[in-house]
Amino acid sequence: MKHLISAADLSRDEALLILDTAEELSQVSDRSIKKLPTLRGRTVVNLFFEDSTRTRISFEAAAKRLSADVINFSAKGSSVSKGESLKDTALTLEAMGADAVVIRHSASGAPHRLATWVRGSVLNAGDGTHEHPTQALLDAFSMRRRLGRLEGLKVAIVGDVLHSRVARSNVLLLHTLGAEVTLVAPPTLLPVAVETWPCQVSYDLDAVLPKSDVVMMLRVQLERMSAAFFPSAREYSRRYGLDPDRFARLHDDAIVMHPGPMNRGMEISAAVADSPRSTIVEQVANGVTVRMAVLYLLLGGAI
Amino acid sequence: MSAAQNSSRNPHEVPPSQRAVLEGPDIQRALTRIAHEILERTKGATDVVLLGIPTRGATLAVRLAERIAEFEGVKVPVGALDITMYRDDLRLRPARPLGHTELPPGGVDGRVVVLVDDVLFSGRTVRAALDALNDVGRPRAVQLATLVDRGHRELPIRADYVGKNLPTAKSETVKVYLAETDGRDAVVLLKEEQR
């Protein structure tokens, strides 16, 4: 494993190795000294062309806990706003000796291109509407911690699948790990060729909920709602929002997830988001651990 | 000749080409002696914590704790300390899977920590363990117990409790098998060509 660009690149064994490594590393977050010397002298560049709070901070914390040097780069206030191309930015980073580049970009496929230009590892932290593999890994990790297994788990992913890189990465990874995924969305918010994905598709949330062990709500990406994907926010919320009534219909052990940031009252009600069966805050903590595991496995050995 | 003896004692377990330098009963006796030595040197092992280095060191630590409990009725806290993230040779090989770290609930602060490993060789594992220990607490003292000391130290490190001093050539490999992980107890010396 040299890069982490798509969740589909991970074999079952590789994915389990990442989750098991994260399991061991989770102890580090509970110690008074939350630091390991493993990546001393390695440089990790956070290259963020799109806004992000939790992913960037999470990668930064993960790299720092492994003693790597972290350089943060955001497109705002950099030469990108003067028109520098991705390739030239990449070559600049290369010259600065980056051992790993964590990239978030609005264009699907940007990490893939970047990987052909730099010698170090490339980690995809979200590219357009394509993939977000570390989010899928931390989601799988959170599910396994709460429910004890992934094999045979019934996972419903609900909402704006069309614009969601989280949904695609989760479908691919969870399929690899033996879980059964059902995508639930209005027909307008499902991507073309979704029938070729290794999952079920449904338009009816109420029919899927009682059978699910995990319900993952996706953010309605208001900034991407340019076309008329649904008649009104209110109607969307009525049909696809997780409110207390729907929540009550889940079986007792089922958990609710959300990759954040949430639109409270839209896809998820506040009461559900704050319930003990919601893993939303845990997911953030697990994100640091899982990203430590990925950074260790990509950079910790001979490279 | 010793190979022939071994194969007659344990016909299904140790191939004749591998010279077993310690058999099951030898290992038991060595551990019994180390347990007594720990009790003696720490005056009853009242504030001792045994920390094994995975995989086989952790198994040995559990066995030592059982013996100490048997001899003097002292329940010594026992745990495991993975040192992978502290190794100095990480960059020589692809990333390794991590072992399991489990600290006893009381932690190690102010205790006498006895590190337990199966083979003491270059001393680099023990150096890594000392660094790892530094990050999880501040023991009052740290001691080292090893089943086999095979020499060839590369760092100024020595063991406080040794099961057997085993003179070896640097090209040889010492392999420890324990019933819990390998189905049998034996310490085997492998020549270079058998590795």
Side-chain angles (χ1 to χ4, degrees):
Chain A
M1 209 167 48
K2 158 108 174 141
H3 306 295
L4 181 61
I5 292 169
S6 160
D9 296 342
L10 293 170
S11 69
R12 193 184 148 77
D13 286 348
E14 284 169 333
L16 287 175
L17 176 64
I18 294 172
L19 300 186
D20 292 342
T21 304
E23 198 68 60
E24 289 302 328
L25 290 174
S26 65
Q27 297 187 16
V28 175
S29 312
D30 303 330
R31 312 194 314 202
S32 55
I33 299 175
K34 297 178 184 53
K35 209 164 174 85
L36 294 164
T38 316
L39 297 185
R40 220 153 46 94
R42 300 264 202 239
T43 303
V44 175
V45 175
N46 279 331
L47 187 58
F48 278 67
F49 292 93
E50 250 189 1
D51 294 340
S52 161
T53 320
R54 72 203 72 218
T55 305
R56 188 178 58 73
I57 292 175
S58 182
F59 265 110
E60 184 172 350
K64 284 182 170 167
R65 283 195 186 167
L66 292 171
S67 304
D69 296 317
V70 181
I71 299 173
N72 284 316
F73 172 101
S74 58
K76 282 192 195 107
S78 73
S79 295
V80 172
S81 49
K82 299 179 192 161
E84 187 171 65
S85 71
L86 177 63
K87 183 169 185 179
D88 290 327
T89 308
L91 294 176
T92 306
L93 298 173
E94 177 79 26
M96 288 181 186
D99 296 298
V101 181
V102 177
I103 177 173
R104 164 160 297 187
H105 201 286
S106 57
S108 303
H112 186 79
R113 289 295 282 154
L114 185 69
T116 61
W117 294 323
V118 296
R119 252 179 294 130
S121 296
V122 174
L123 286 89
N124 183 358
D127 59 333
T129 58
H130 179 225
E131 284 226 42
H132 194 352
T134 56
Q135 178 71 41
L137 284 162
L138 78 88
D139 288 339
F141 182 76
S142 305
M143 288 177 210
R144 198 175 72 161
R145 280 212 134 177
R146 274 287 185 116
L147 301 168
R149 69 196 163 98
L150 287 167
E151 191 80 49
L153 219 55
K154 292 191 167 48
V155 182
I157 301 180
V158 186
D160 182 4
V161 178
L162 178 64
H163 298 106
S164 177
R165 47 200 177 207
V166 176
R168 185 191 305 263
S169 288
N170 260 302
V171 167
L172 295 169
L173 182 73
L174 289 170
H175 173 71
T176 306
L177 291 168
E180 295 163 28
V181 182
T182 305
L183 296 174
V184 185
T188 48
L189 287 175
L190 283 165
V192 176
V194 71
E195 64 279 0
T196 63
W197 292 21
C199 63
Q200 309 283 312
V201 176
S202 168
Y203 306 138
D204 183 0
L205 180 57
D206 291 304
V208 174
L209 281 181
K211 294 181 283 187
S212 303
D213 303 306
V214 178
V215 182
M216 186 185 297
M217 304 307 296
L218 299 172
R219 183 170 68 95
V220 176
Q221 305 195 21
L222 297 169
E223 72 274 23
R224 296 192 218 261
M225 292 300 151
S226 44
F229 293 109
F230 45 78
S232 72
R234 192 176 150 84
E235 180 171 335
Y236 177 87
S237 184
R238 279 287 175 82
R239 293 203 55 191
Y240 293 99
L242 192 60
D243 55 27
D245 285 346
R246 287 207 170 95
F247 184 59
R249 263 174 270 153
L250 286 167
H251 72 74
D252 291 344
D253 300 325
I255 56 169
V256 175
M257 308 181 76
H258 193 297
M262 285 182 275
N263 300 311
R264 283 176 186 252
M266 177 87 174
E267 71 266 4
I268 189 164
S269 76
V272 176
D274 299 332
S275 94
R277 281 157 64 195
S278 135
T279 64
I280 296 165
V281 179
E282 253 166 83
Q283 281 171 269
V284 178
N286 290 341
V288 177
T289 307
V290 165
R291 290 177 176 118
M292 281 172 77
V294 170
L295 285 170
Y296 166 65
L297 292 169
L298 289 180
L299 299 180
I303 51 174
Chain B
M1 202 171 76
S2 66
Q5 274 174 0
N6 290 340
S7 61
S8 65
R9 249 191 282 169
N10 262 324
H12 303 294
E13 290 169 350
V14 183
S17 60
Q18 300 183 359
R19 200 178 115 225
V21 282
L22 290 182
E23 295 286 354
D26 304 325
I27 293 176
Q28 304 296 346
R29 279 191 284 271
L31 290 175
T32 302
R33 180 172 48 74
I34 292 175
H36 279 297
E37 284 176 2
I38 292 173
L39 280 163
E40 193 181 355
R41 279 201 42 188
T42 60
K43 301 199 166 36
T46 43
D47 54 359
V48 165
V49 173
L50 292 169
L51 281 186
I53 298 172
T55 323
R56 288 178 187 76
T59 311
L60 291 171
V62 172
R63 288 199 195 179
L64 284 173
E66 284 167 5
R67 280 174 169 72
I68 290 172
E70 200 180 303
F71 301 151
E72 305 228 339
V74 192
K75 236 180 129 15
V76 175
V78 54
L81 182 69
D82 181 52
I83 54 107
T84 310
M85 302 297 268
Y86 295 85
R87 298 189 73 100
D88 61 5
D89 59 352
L90 280 172
R91 291 181 188 192
L92 304 181
R93 286 203 247 160
R96 312 156 190 240
L98 302 185
H100 185 59
T101 293
E102 193 163 348
L103 294 177
V108 298
D109 289 338
R111 315 294 290 258
V112 176
V113 171
V114 179
L115 292 170
V116 185
D117 202 2
D118 54 351
V119 181
L120 179 58
F121 182 22
S122 64
R124 288 176 190 268
T125 303
V126 177
R127 189 221 42 94
L130 291 171
D131 280 358
L133 202 51
N134 205 22
D135 282 359
V136 296
R138 185 179 185 280
R140 184 161 64 76
V142 183
Q143 300 178 346
L144 174 62
T146 179
L147 182 61
V148 175
D149 182 349
R150 58 164 297 189
H152 304 287
R153 212 76 76 240
E154 294 164 6
L155 294 169
I157 280 168
R158 63 163 181 79
D160 300 86
Y161 312 102
V162 179
K164 182 173 176 60
N165 281 300
L166 186 64
T168 57
K170 212 167 178 184
S171 58
E172 289 170 323
T173 304
V174 177
K175 195 95 186 72
V176 173
Y177 298 104
L178 294 175
E180 291 88 335
T181 44
D182 314 294
R184 63 164 195 193
D185 275 6
V187 176
V188 177
L189 191 61
L190 298 168
K191 302 283 175 212
E192 195 174 15
E193 64 271 18
Q194 296 166 339
R195 286 218 304 231

PDB file of all heavy atoms in Angstrom, chain A residues 136-165:
ATOM      1  N   ALA A 136     -14.747   6.578   5.352  1.00  0.00           N
ATOM      2  CA  ALA A 136     -15.352   5.245   5.339  1.00  0.00           C
ATOM      3  C   ALA A 136     -14.657   4.337   6.359  1.00  0.00           C
ATOM      4  O   ALA A 136     -15.311   3.562   7.065  1.00  0.00           O
ATOM      5  CB  ALA A 136     -15.255   4.644   3.939  1.00  0.00           C
ATOM      6  N   LEU A 137     -13.337   4.461   6.463  1.00  0.00           N
ATOM      7  CA  LEU A 137     -12.604   3.629   7.425  1.00  0.00           C
ATOM      8  C   LEU A 137     -13.008   3.967   8.854  1.00  0.00           C
ATOM      9  O   LEU A 137     -13.189   3.073   9.686  1.00  0.00           O
ATOM     10  CB  LEU A 137     -11.098   3.823   7.240  1.00  0.00           C
ATOM     11  CG  LEU A 137     -10.500   3.114   6.017  1.00  0.00           C
ATOM     12  CD1 LEU A 137      -9.134   3.693   5.665  1.00  0.00           C
ATOM     13  CD2 LEU A 137     -10.367   1.607   6.274  1.00  0.00           C
ATOM     14  N   LEU A 138     -13.156   5.256   9.137  1.00  0.00           N
ATOM     15  CA  LEU A 138     -13.507   5.606  10.518  1.00  0.00           C
ATOM     16  C   LEU A 138     -14.962   5.231  10.808  1.00  0.00           C
ATOM     17  O   LEU A 138     -15.302   4.888  11.938  1.00  0.00           O
ATOM     18  CB  LEU A 138     -13.217   7.081  10.796  1.00  0.00           C
ATOM     19  CG  LEU A 138     -14.159   8.177  10.320  1.00  0.00           C
ATOM     20  CD1 LEU A 138     -15.252   8.464  11.323  1.00  0.00           C
ATOM     21  CD2 LEU A 138     -13.369   9.444  10.093  1.00  0.00           C
ATOM     22  N   ASP A 139     -15.811   5.267   9.772  1.00  0.00           N
ATOM     23  CA  ASP A 139     -17.194   4.820   9.972  1.00  0.00           C
ATOM     24  C   ASP A 139     -17.223   3.319  10.270  1.00  0.00           C
ATOM     25  O   ASP A 139     -17.907   2.874  11.195  1.00  0.00           O
ATOM     26  CB  ASP A 139     -18.041   5.133   8.733  1.00  0.00           C
ATOM     27  CG  ASP A 139     -18.313   6.626   8.592  1.00  0.00           C
ATOM     28  OD1 ASP A 139     -18.211   7.347   9.595  1.00  0.00           O
ATOM     29  OD2 ASP A 139     -18.622   7.072   7.468  1.00  0.00           O
ATOM     30  N   ALA A 140     -16.466   2.554   9.479  1.00  0.00           N
ATOM     31  CA  ALA A 140     -16.414   1.104   9.710  1.00  0.00           C
ATOM     32  C   ALA A 140     -15.850   0.807  11.100  1.00  0.00           C
ATOM     33  O   ALA A 140     -16.333  -0.066  11.823  1.00  0.00           O
ATOM     34  CB  ALA A 140     -15.559   0.436   8.636  1.00  0.00           C
ATOM     35  N   PHE A 141     -14.826   1.565  11.485  1.00  0.00           N
ATOM     36  CA  PHE A 141     -14.212   1.397  12.797  1.00  0.00           C
ATOM     37  C   PHE A 141     -15.228   1.682  13.901  1.00  0.00           C
ATOM     38  O   PHE A 141     -15.335   0.925  14.877  1.00  0.00           O
ATOM     39  CB  PHE A 141     -13.012   2.342  12.906  1.00  0.00           C
ATOM     40  CG  PHE A 141     -12.252   2.251  14.200  1.00  0.00           C
ATOM     41  CD1 PHE A 141     -11.393   1.194  14.445  1.00  0.00           C
ATOM     42  CD2 PHE A 141     -12.387   3.232  15.172  1.00  0.00           C
ATOM     43  CE1 PHE A 141     -10.683   1.119  15.631  1.00  0.00           C
ATOM     44  CE2 PHE A 141     -11.681   3.163  16.364  1.00  0.00           C
ATOM     45  CZ  PHE A 141     -10.829   2.101  16.586  1.00  0.00           C
ATOM     46  N   SER A 142     -15.997   2.770  13.741  1.00  0.00           N
ATOM     47  CA  SER A 142     -17.002   3.137  14.747  1.00  0.00           C
ATOM     48  C   SER A 142     -18.090   2.066  14.850  1.00  0.00           C
ATOM     49  O   SER A 142     -18.534   1.726  15.947  1.00  0.00           O
ATOM     50  CB  SER A 142     -17.651   4.481  14.400  1.00  0.00           C
ATOM     51  OG  SER A 142     -16.659   5.470  14.239  1.00  0.00           O
ATOM     52  N   MET A 143     -18.503   1.524  13.680  1.00  0.00           N
ATOM     53  CA  MET A 143     -19.528   0.463  13.690  1.00  0.00           C
ATOM     54  C   MET A 143     -19.002  -0.769  14.409  1.00  0.00           C
ATOM     55  O   MET A 143     -19.691  -1.367  15.224  1.00  0.00           O
ATOM     56  CB  MET A 143     -19.870   0.042  12.254  1.00  0.00           C
ATOM     57  CG  MET A 143     -20.671   1.040  11.484  1.00  0.00           C
ATOM     58  SD  MET A 143     -20.905   0.420   9.794  1.00  0.00           S
ATOM     59  CE  MET A 143     -20.994   1.978   8.927  1.00  0.00           C
ATOM     60  N   ARG A 144     -17.763  -1.149  14.110  1.00  0.00           N
ATOM     61  CA  ARG A 144     -17.219  -2.360  14.711  1.00  0.00           C
ATOM     62  C   ARG A 144     -17.078  -2.201  16.215  1.00  0.00           C
ATOM     63  O   ARG A 144     -17.308  -3.126  16.978  1.00  0.00           O
ATOM     64  CB  ARG A 144     -15.881  -2.712  14.064  1.00  0.00           C
ATOM     65  CG  ARG A 144     -15.474  -4.147  14.308  1.00  0.00           C
ATOM     66  CD  ARG A 144     -14.221  -4.536  13.569  1.00  0.00           C
ATOM     67  NE  ARG A 144     -13.045  -3.914  14.141  1.00  0.00           N
ATOM     68  CZ  ARG A 144     -11.801  -4.369  13.927  1.00  0.00           C
ATOM     69  NH1 ARG A 144     -11.603  -5.413  13.151  1.00  0.00           N
ATOM     70  NH2 ARG A 144     -10.770  -3.764  14.461  1.00  0.00           N
ATOM     71  N   ARG A 145     -16.678  -1.000  16.649  1.00  0.00           N
ATOM     72  CA  ARG A 145     -16.537  -0.762  18.088  1.00  0.00           C
ATOM     73  C   ARG A 145     -17.872  -0.849  18.808  1.00  0.00           C
ATOM     74  O   ARG A 145     -17.967  -1.400  19.892  1.00  0.00           O
ATOM     75  CB  ARG A 145     -15.968   0.637  18.321  1.00  0.00           C
ATOM     76  CG  ARG A 145     -14.486   0.684  18.143  1.00  0.00           C
ATOM     77  CD  ARG A 145     -13.933   1.716  19.074  1.00  0.00           C
ATOM     78  NE  ARG A 145     -12.771   1.203  19.765  1.00  0.00           N
ATOM     79  CZ  ARG A 145     -12.050   1.931  20.607  1.00  0.00           C
ATOM     80  NH1 ARG A 145     -12.395   3.159  20.876  1.00  0.00           N
ATOM     81  NH2 ARG A 145     -11.007   1.404  21.196  1.00  0.00           N
ATOM     82  N   ARG A 146     -18.919  -0.253  18.202  1.00  0.00           N
ATOM     83  CA  ARG A 146     -20.220  -0.232  18.864  1.00  0.00           C
ATOM     84  C   ARG A 146     -20.913  -1.589  18.795  1.00  0.00           C
ATOM     85  O   ARG A 146     -21.539  -2.012  19.754  1.00  0.00           O
ATOM     86  CB  ARG A 146     -21.128   0.807  18.213  1.00  0.00           C
ATOM     87  CG  ARG A 146     -20.974   2.200  18.762  1.00  0.00           C
ATOM     88  CD  ARG A 146     -21.599   2.313  20.155  1.00  0.00           C
ATOM     89  NE  ARG A 146     -21.532   3.687  20.614  1.00  0.00           N
ATOM     90  CZ  ARG A 146     -22.604   4.446  20.843  1.00  0.00           C
ATOM     91  NH1 ARG A 146     -23.804   3.964  20.657  1.00  0.00           N
ATOM     92  NH2 ARG A 146     -22.453   5.680  21.262  1.00  0.00           N
ATOM     93  N   LEU A 147     -20.851  -2.226  17.639  1.00  0.00           N
ATOM     94  CA  LEU A 147     -21.672  -3.410  17.419  1.00  0.00           C
ATOM     95  C   LEU A 147     -20.865  -4.708  17.427  1.00  0.00           C
ATOM     96  O   LEU A 147     -21.433  -5.796  17.362  1.00  0.00           O
ATOM     97  CB  LEU A 147     -22.436  -3.275  16.097  1.00  0.00           C
ATOM     98  CG  LEU A 147     -23.354  -2.033  16.041  1.00  0.00           C
ATOM     99  CD1 LEU A 147     -23.845  -1.772  14.643  1.00  0.00           C
ATOM    100  CD2 LEU A 147     -24.531  -2.199  16.992  1.00  0.00           C
ATOM    101  N   GLY A 148     -19.534  -4.594  17.484  1.00  0.00           N
ATOM    102  CA  GLY A 148     -18.705  -5.785  17.645  1.00  0.00           C
ATOM    103  C   GLY A 148     -18.413  -6.557  16.380  1.00  0.00           C
ATOM    104  O   GLY A 148     -17.657  -7.524  16.416  1.00  0.00           O
ATOM    105  N   ARG A 149     -19.020  -6.164  15.263  1.00  0.00           N
ATOM    106  CA  ARG A 149     -18.760  -6.920  14.034  1.00  0.00           C
ATOM    107  C   ARG A 149     -19.105  -6.049  12.833  1.00  0.00           C
ATOM    108  O   ARG A 149     -19.757  -5.011  12.970  1.00  0.00           O
ATOM    109  CB  ARG A 149     -19.618  -8.183  13.991  1.00  0.00           C
ATOM    110  CG  ARG A 149     -21.080  -7.867  13.818  1.00  0.00           C
ATOM    111  CD  ARG A 149     -21.994  -9.009  14.139  1.00  0.00           C
ATOM    112  NE  ARG A 149     -23.335  -8.494  14.323  1.00  0.00           N
ATOM    113  CZ  ARG A 149     -24.278  -8.506  13.385  1.00  0.00           C
ATOM    114  NH1 ARG A 149     -24.042  -9.046  12.206  1.00  0.00           N
ATOM    115  NH2 ARG A 149     -25.464  -7.998  13.606  1.00  0.00           N
ATOM    116  N   LEU A 150     -18.685  -6.483  11.655  1.00  0.00           N
ATOM    117  CA  LEU A 150     -19.064  -5.817  10.414  1.00  0.00           C
ATOM    118  C   LEU A 150     -19.737  -6.801   9.467  1.00  0.00           C
ATOM    119  O   LEU A 150     -20.640  -6.462   8.716  1.00  0.00           O
ATOM    120  CB  LEU A 150     -17.826  -5.213   9.735  1.00  0.00           C
ATOM    121  CG  LEU A 150     -17.260  -3.970  10.429  1.00  0.00           C
ATOM    122  CD1 LEU A 150     -15.887  -3.634   9.898  1.00  0.00           C
ATOM    123  CD2 LEU A 150     -18.186  -2.776  10.230  1.00  0.00           C
ATOM    124  N   GLU A 151     -19.272  -8.047   9.546  1.00  0.00           N
ATOM    125  CA  GLU A 151     -19.806  -9.111   8.697  1.00  0.00           C
ATOM    126  C   GLU A 151     -21.312  -9.235   8.901  1.00  0.00           C
ATOM    127  O   GLU A 151     -21.777  -9.412  10.024  1.00  0.00           O
ATOM    128  CB  GLU A 151     -19.104 -10.419   9.091  1.00  0.00           C
ATOM    129  CG  GLU A 151     -19.318 -11.580   8.156  1.00  0.00           C
ATOM    130  CD  GLU A 151     -18.424 -11.500   6.934  1.00  0.00           C
ATOM    131  OE1 GLU A 151     -17.204 -11.276   7.113  1.00  0.00           O
ATOM    132  OE2 GLU A 151     -18.931 -11.672   5.831  1.00  0.00           O
ATOM    133  N   GLY A 152     -22.074  -9.122   7.807  1.00  0.00           N
ATOM    134  CA  GLY A 152     -23.521  -9.316   7.889  1.00  0.00           C
ATOM    135  C   GLY A 152     -24.301  -8.135   8.448  1.00  0.00           C
ATOM    136  O   GLY A 152     -25.522  -8.207   8.567  1.00  0.00           O
ATOM    137  N   LEU A 153     -23.622  -7.062   8.812  1.00  0.00           N
ATOM    138  CA  LEU A 153     -24.283  -5.881   9.367  1.00  0.00           C
ATOM    139  C   LEU A 153     -25.136  -5.219   8.285  1.00  0.00           C
ATOM    140  O   LEU A 153     -24.720  -5.093   7.145  1.00  0.00           O
ATOM    141  CB  LEU A 153     -23.206  -4.905   9.831  1.00  0.00           C
ATOM    142  CG  LEU A 153     -23.420  -4.124  11.115  1.00  0.00           C
ATOM    143  CD1 LEU A 153     -23.697  -5.055  12.285  1.00  0.00           C
ATOM    144  CD2 LEU A 153     -22.192  -3.293  11.419  1.00  0.00           C
ATOM    145  N   LYS A 154     -26.335  -4.785   8.662  1.00  0.00           N
ATOM    146  CA  LYS A 154     -27.212  -4.127   7.692  1.00  0.00           C
ATOM    147  C   LYS A 154     -27.128  -2.618   7.880  1.00  0.00           C
ATOM    148  O   LYS A 154     -27.515  -2.094   8.919  1.00  0.00           O
ATOM    149  CB  LYS A 154     -28.649  -4.618   7.865  1.00  0.00           C
ATOM    150  CG  LYS A 154     -28.790  -6.081   7.455  1.00  0.00           C
ATOM    151  CD  LYS A 154     -30.233  -6.513   7.359  1.00  0.00           C
ATOM    152  CE  LYS A 154     -30.349  -7.845   6.647  1.00  0.00           C
ATOM    153  NZ  LYS A 154     -29.391  -8.854   7.157  1.00  0.00           N
ATOM    154  N   VAL A 155     -26.584  -1.942   6.873  1.00  0.00           N
ATOM    155  CA  VAL A 155     -26.311  -0.519   6.966  1.00  0.00           C
ATOM    156  C   VAL A 155     -27.169   0.231   5.959  1.00  0.00           C
ATOM    157  O   VAL A 155     -27.156  -0.087   4.766  1.00  0.00           O
ATOM    158  CB  VAL A 155     -24.817  -0.228   6.673  1.00  0.00           C
ATOM    159  CG1 VAL A 155     -24.530   1.263   6.821  1.00  0.00           C
ATOM    160  CG2 VAL A 155     -23.920  -1.038   7.593  1.00  0.00           C
ATOM    161  N   ALA A 156     -27.945   1.222   6.445  1.00  0.00           N
ATOM    162  CA  ALA A 156     -28.705   2.082   5.541  1.00  0.00           C
ATOM    163  C   ALA A 156     -27.989   3.422   5.439  1.00  0.00           C
ATOM    164  O   ALA A 156     -27.651   4.031   6.458  1.00  0.00           O
ATOM    165  CB  ALA A 156     -30.119   2.277   6.075  1.00  0.00           C
ATOM    166  N   ILE A 157     -27.710   3.854   4.219  1.00  0.00           N
ATOM    167  CA  ILE A 157     -27.093   5.171   4.006  1.00  0.00           C
ATOM    168  C   ILE A 157     -28.153   6.042   3.342  1.00  0.00           C
ATOM    169  O   ILE A 157     -28.648   5.718   2.264  1.00  0.00           O
ATOM    170  CB  ILE A 157     -25.829   5.056   3.139  1.00  0.00           C
ATOM    171  CG1 ILE A 157     -24.816   4.131   3.817  1.00  0.00           C
ATOM    172  CG2 ILE A 157     -25.223   6.437   2.890  1.00  0.00           C
ATOM    173  CD1 ILE A 157     -23.524   3.937   3.055  1.00  0.00           C
ATOM    174  N   VAL A 158     -28.528   7.122   4.048  1.00  0.00           N
ATOM    175  CA  VAL A 158     -29.738   7.859   3.689  1.00  0.00           C
ATOM    176  C   VAL A 158     -29.414   9.293   3.297  1.00  0.00           C
ATOM    177  O   VAL A 158     -28.726   9.996   4.047  1.00  0.00           O
ATOM    178  CB  VAL A 158     -30.721   7.886   4.890  1.00  0.00           C
ATOM    179  CG1 VAL A 158     -32.037   8.515   4.476  1.00  0.00           C
ATOM    180  CG2 VAL A 158     -30.942   6.487   5.445  1.00  0.00           C
ATOM    181  N   GLY A 159     -29.933   9.725   2.155  1.00  0.00           N
ATOM    182  CA  GLY A 159     -29.840  11.136   1.818  1.00  0.00           C
ATOM    183  C   GLY A 159     -29.227  11.402   0.461  1.00  0.00           C
ATOM    184  O   GLY A 159     -29.424  10.644  -0.483  1.00  0.00           O
ATOM    185  N   ASP A 160     -28.437  12.456   0.416  1.00  0.00           N
ATOM    186  CA  ASP A 160     -27.908  12.960  -0.845  1.00  0.00           C
ATOM    187  C   ASP A 160     -26.735  12.103  -1.334  1.00  0.00           C
ATOM    188  O   ASP A 160     -25.571  12.489  -1.218  1.00  0.00           O
ATOM    189  CB  ASP A 160     -27.478  14.408  -0.625  1.00  0.00           C
ATOM    190  CG  ASP A 160     -26.960  15.053  -1.895  1.00  0.00           C
ATOM    191  OD1 ASP A 160     -26.999  14.407  -2.955  1.00  0.00           O
ATOM    192  OD2 ASP A 160     -26.498  16.208  -1.806  1.00  0.00           O
ATOM    193  N   VAL A 161     -27.065  10.941  -1.867  1.00  0.00           N
ATOM    194  CA  VAL A 161     -26.013  10.029  -2.337  1.00  0.00           C
ATOM    195  C   VAL A 161     -25.319  10.609  -3.572  1.00  0.00           C
ATOM    196  O   VAL A 161     -24.113  10.444  -3.763  1.00  0.00           O
ATOM    197  CB  VAL A 161     -26.605   8.633  -2.654  1.00  0.00           C
ATOM    198  CG1 VAL A 161     -25.541   7.696  -3.192  1.00  0.00           C
ATOM    199  CG2 VAL A 161     -27.258   8.053  -1.418  1.00  0.00           C
ATOM    200  N   LEU A 162     -26.099  11.340  -4.365  1.00  0.00           N
ATOM    201  CA  LEU A 162     -25.572  11.882  -5.620  1.00  0.00           C
ATOM    202  C   LEU A 162     -24.296  12.709  -5.416  1.00  0.00           C
ATOM    203  O   LEU A 162     -23.329  12.562  -6.138  1.00  0.00           O
ATOM    204  CB  LEU A 162     -26.652  12.749  -6.290  1.00  0.00           C
ATOM    205  CG  LEU A 162     -26.265  13.442  -7.597  1.00  0.00           C
ATOM    206  CD1 LEU A 162     -25.955  12.426  -8.684  1.00  0.00           C
ATOM    207  CD2 LEU A 162     -27.394  14.369  -8.049  1.00  0.00           C
ATOM    208  N   HIS A 163     -24.305  13.567  -4.399  1.00  0.00           N
ATOM    209  CA  HIS A 163     -23.153  14.452  -4.184  1.00  0.00           C
ATOM    210  C   HIS A 163     -22.203  13.921  -3.122  1.00  0.00           C
ATOM    211  O   HIS A 163     -21.293  14.634  -2.709  1.00  0.00           O
ATOM    212  CB  HIS A 163     -23.635  15.843  -3.756  1.00  0.00           C
ATOM    213  CG  HIS A 163     -24.483  16.522  -4.774  1.00  0.00           C
ATOM    214  ND1 HIS A 163     -25.847  16.662  -4.640  1.00  0.00           N
ATOM    215  CD2 HIS A 163     -24.172  17.062  -5.971  1.00  0.00           C
ATOM    216  CE1 HIS A 163     -26.331  17.279  -5.699  1.00  0.00           C
ATOM    217  NE2 HIS A 163     -25.341  17.528  -6.530  1.00  0.00           N
ATOM    218  N   SER A 164     -22.439  12.704  -2.657  1.00  0.00           N
ATOM    219  CA  SER A 164     -21.710  12.265  -1.462  1.00  0.00           C
ATOM    220  C   SER A 164     -20.532  11.362  -1.779  1.00  0.00           C
ATOM    221  O   SER A 164     -20.689  10.249  -2.275  1.00  0.00           O
ATOM    222  CB  SER A 164     -22.672  11.521  -0.531  1.00  0.00           C
ATOM    223  OG  SER A 164     -21.952  11.034   0.572  1.00  0.00           O
ATOM    224  N   ARG A 165     -19.340  11.841  -1.461  1.00  0.00           N
ATOM    225  CA  ARG A 165     -18.152  10.985  -1.571  1.00  0.00           C
ATOM    226  C   ARG A 165     -18.119   9.995  -0.415  1.00  0.00           C
ATOM    227  O   ARG A 165     -17.539   8.927  -0.520  1.00  0.00           O
ATOM    228  CB  ARG A 165     -16.892  11.837  -1.602  1.00  0.00           C
ATOM    229  CG  ARG A 165     -16.853  12.906  -0.536  1.00  0.00           C
ATOM    230  CD  ARG A 165     -15.862  13.988  -0.935  1.00  0.00           C
ATOM    231  NE  ARG A 165     -15.832  15.072   0.029  1.00  0.00           N
ATOM    232  CZ  ARG A 165     -15.504  16.311  -0.284  1.00  0.00           C
ATOM    233  NH1 ARG A 165     -15.174  16.621  -1.511  1.00  0.00           N
ATOM    234  NH2 ARG A 165     -15.474  17.244   0.643  1.00  0.00           N
TER     235      ARG A 165
END
